[in-house]
Amino acid sequence: MEKVVILGTGIAGLTAAIYTARANLSPLVISGNEDGGQLTLTTDVENFPGFPDGIQGPELITITKKQAARFGARFKIDFVTGITKSNHHFKLLLSGETIITESIIITTGASARWLGIPSEEKYKGRGVTTCATCDGAFFKNKEVVVIGGGDSAMEESQFLTKFATKVTVIHRKDSFKASKIMQNRFFKNKKCAVIWDSEVQEIIGDGKKVTAVKIKNLNTGKMTAVKTDGVFLAIGHIPNTSFLSGLVDVDSQGYIKTDRFTKTNVPGIFAAGDVQDTRYRQAITAAGSGCQAAMEVEKYLAEKE
Ligand code: NDP
């Protein structure tokens, strides 16, 4: 029987792993489908304390994982498909085995949201993507559009200007919700442009690759085709909680409900990071809540004995 199993290897899960490992709980950390979480899909992280010159997202994950392993955290590449609860323990169903544990920290994060239009499905991987860091280099000397108005849209646009000749953000409102510093960089960059108040209705292509997007102006209803080689989606994320199948309380959007001590409604199950955070969603707040969850698990197990 495991003492604690951590689901997810993003910064929240890894921080929980460091703390539970240092508490001699020998945590087992299950990677999930997106090993390393969202930081592995980003470039410069400039606001994580302790790195005055910034750090690359994937590097931050690599060194934090190493730090957790140093204290005895064990890692497993697999994903959980379901959890069942017995009197004093939980059964985790993985792809090929079952693990029994006294406690669980869920840090499964959130995955990129898609537009949900049929033509998007057709051109996924053929010009439509949710990851500028992964796919940006394919668009050297091409024109691309980015959909969204948050920090991700700003960051991805900035990154894409390294390759593309022009980056046009299409946003459904007439102002961005992104932080001022990110907006300033965007507006200063001569390769960046914006189309306001518009929604993508259809991705147009030649069957093999994207050639344009059909957009609708939400004020006038006018439809226009915007020529583009690539479509980068930066429209937020959806929490990865479907595997819980009602065991743990979630809100209307699927985010796990926790109290201010990272406790869920099920004693012994804790949640940290983006999977339970609808407000801050920063690397540092995810790490902080991972630490909290680990300390709560330690207390929970001590009280149980
Ligand atoms: P956000 O939820 O902040 O923004 C999503 C954007 O997409 C919004 O502008 C939203 O529009 C738009 N949107 C949502 N759904 C649709 C849709 N179906 N069609 C069209 N547009 C849509 O997500 P982000 O990923 O940008 O950021 C998430 C968190 O991560 C934030 O807290 C952010 O601060 C943080 N972050 C920080 C970074 C940094 O500091 N370096 C970098 C990247 C992210 P609307 O405005 O109308 O709601």
Side-chain angles (χ1 to χ4, degrees), residues 47 149-152 155 171-173 177 234-235 280-282:
N47 48 13
D151 281 328
S152 296
E155 189 176 69
H171 184 39
R172 61 186 181 184
K173 292 203 177 119
K177 67 183 282 196
I235 57 171
Y280 301 107
R281 296 181 292 187
Q282 303 297 303

Side-chain angles (χ1 to χ4, degrees), residues 70-170:
R70 186 180 141 215
F71 297 111
R74 293 163 298 138
F75 292 91
K76 192 176 188 62
I77 303 283
D78 210 332
F79 57 93
V80 173
T81 55
I83 304 177
T84 55
K85 183 179 175 307
S86 300
N87 274 348
H88 297 291
H89 63 261
F90 301 97
K91 234 186 229 176
L92 292 170
L93 308 174
L94 272 64
S95 65
E97 64 177 305
T98 302
I99 290 173
I100 298 175
T101 180
E102 286 184 65
S103 66
I104 301 170
I105 301 177
I106 303 174
T107 66
T108 45
S111 297
R113 173 180 283 127
W114 295 80
L115 289 169
I117 52 177
S119 49
E120 170 186 70
E121 196 57 45
K122 186 171 172 189
Y123 288 103
K124 256 185 202 174
R126 300 175 185 189
V128 182
T129 168
T130 57
C131 182
T133 331
C134 321
D135 299 325
F138 296 126
F139 295 88
K140 202 159 192 286
N141 298 324
K142 303 210 158 144
E143 294 190 9
V144 298
V145 297
V146 173
I147 321 296
D151 281 328
S152 296
M154 300 295 100
E155 189 176 69
E156 305 232 324
S157 304
Q158 204 65 27
F159 177 74
L160 287 167
T161 58
K162 288 186 189 177
F163 311 101
T165 50
K166 187 176 178 193
V167 179
T168 305
V169 168
I170 299 171

Side-chain angles (χ1 to χ4, degrees), residues 264-292:
T264 69
N265 63 311
V266 181
I269 302 187
F270 302 79
D274 285 7
V275 76
Q276 52 84 58
D277 181 5
T278 53
R279 192 175 176 92
Y280 301 107
R281 296 181 292 187
Q282 303 297 303
I284 189 64
T285 51
S289 67
C291 158
Q292 283 178 289

